[in-house]
Amino acid sequence: MSCPKCGALVAPDEEVCPECNHRLAEETLERLLPLLKRPEKEPISPMPFPIRIAKAVIAPSQAFHDIARAPDAAGPIILYALNVLAVTIYYAAGWNHIYPFGDYWILRLLGDGAVLGRLFSNALMVLIQLLFLGFIYWLPFRLIGRKSSFKRDLSIVGYAYVPILIGRALSVLILFTSIPTIIIPVNASLLQAQISVTSIFISPVWNTVAVIEIASWLWAAFLIVLGIRQVNELSTTTALISSYAIMLIFLAIYVTLV
């Protein structure tokens, strides 16, 4: 048989043309997991970024195929800003459950000031995180001669922050509703006040939040598969293995630093 795109002769069982990398048939993995199936039709024009964000959840293969073809910065910037806000509210959720009285009223003031300070530090942290993740998804394929650009990979990774945002929104809801409320009475000693504040931030509910965070990153790795296989002309299987290997390296570093 011949490739319908370039006309090269290919074996009947070939899934990809060895000359032009045109997809000749669905891979077994795509048949087993329909979410990985490549879009049958190319869109006439790039999707607007709000549609891309929505389809990252409801039709991820279409969304990331489109992002890989025509990357943009608007969607990733919006998702970046929302993630900074979500991470900051994490911290606010803890202080929201502390009610100090008497001489310990200053704890409330310090807590509110710390939340504001966290907004700026989190903006820097999430930016570094995003750039680093984009870099480690771009560099390995660049080193083996693939055509992907850092800008394109960064756009793919930026849109993959959709599940991170969903996970963090869910975590914020859990934190606000599940963290125990602590009242620091007027006659409490300094040690009692310190123990009360510490108990908020070592509550078991934070373990649940950590599990949601890890699950969200693994979901993001799945979405990135759909983009990097397009820009790097990879098989779905290779893209899947590569994406999760890179994400596990990132998580190992992330957990160590956080």
Side-chain angles (χ1 to χ4, degrees):
M1 59 178 288
S2 61
C3 172
K5 183 176 180 181
C6 69
L9 293 176
V10 294
D13 59 345
E14 288 278 9
E15 294 178 340
V16 179
C17 173
E19 295 296 327
C20 68
N21 292 309
H22 178 69
R23 181 65 47 185
L24 302 172
E26 286 183 359
E27 293 181 50
T28 303
L29 191 59
E30 293 175 23
R31 290 193 290 270
L32 292 174
L33 193 57
L35 278 175
L36 288 170
K37 187 176 179 181
R38 298 170 191 260
E40 295 180 0
K41 296 180 180 179
E42 294 283 347
I44 297 173
S45 59
M47 301 175 189
F49 76 85
I51 302 298
R52 286 178 165 180
I53 292 174
K55 285 203 169 189
V57 177
I58 60 176
S61 185
Q62 292 180 24
F64 282 85
H65 184 83
D66 191 62
I67 294 162
R69 288 176 60 254
D72 73 276
I77 289 173
I78 296 296
L79 291 167
Y80 159 76
L82 291 174
N83 269 282
V84 169
L85 184 61
V87 173
T88 303
I89 294 175
Y90 264 22
Y91 191 74
W95 285 105
N96 188 64
H97 288 76
I98 299 174
Y99 293 90
F101 292 94
D103 292 339
Y104 296 106
W105 66 271
I106 191 67
L107 285 174
R108 171 63 66 180
L109 185 63
L110 290 173
D112 292 342
V115 169
L116 184 60
R118 282 271 178 152
L119 181 63
F120 295 102
S121 63
N122 287 339
L124 180 60
M125 180 194 74
V126 176
L127 179 60
I128 293 172
Q129 183 188 84
L130 174 61
L131 292 174
F132 177 68
L133 192 58
F135 178 75
I136 63 174
Y137 268 100
W138 166 78
L139 183 61
F141 299 108
R142 189 65 177 178
L143 290 176
I144 61 174
R146 299 293 179 172
K147 300 176 181 178
S148 177
S149 67
F150 179 65
K151 175 185 174 183
R152 196 176 296 269
D153 278 9
L154 192 60
S155 184
I156 291 168
V157 168
Y159 274 103
Y161 266 63
V162 169
I164 309 302
L165 180 60
I166 293 172
R168 286 172 175 166
L170 177 60
S171 295
V172 165
L173 179 62
I174 291 172
L175 289 172
F176 272 103
T177 56
S178 301
I179 288 181
T181 296
I182 299 297
I183 297 175
I184 303 177
V186 174
N187 59 350
S189 67
L190 177 60
L191 178 60
Q192 289 172 326
Q194 290 174 332
I195 292 173
S196 296
V197 172
T198 302
S199 68
I200 286 288
F201 294 99
I202 62 171
S203 171
V205 71
W206 292 97
N207 295 330
T208 303
V209 167
V211 170
I212 293 172
E213 179 89 357
I214 297 299
S216 299
W217 285 113
L218 295 178
W219 181 5
F222 178 84
L223 297 182
I224 293 172
V225 170
L226 307 173
I228 63 171
R229 71 177 177 186
Q230 172 74 10
V231 298
N232 294 300
E233 298 178 339
L234 303 172
S235 69
T236 298
T237 303
T238 302
L240 189 71
I241 294 171
S242 301
S243 182
Y244 275 98
I246 292 169
M247 183 58 75
L248 289 175
I249 293 170
F250 168 77
L251 288 176
I253 297 171
Y254 178 64
V255 170
T256 301
L257 296 178
V258 175

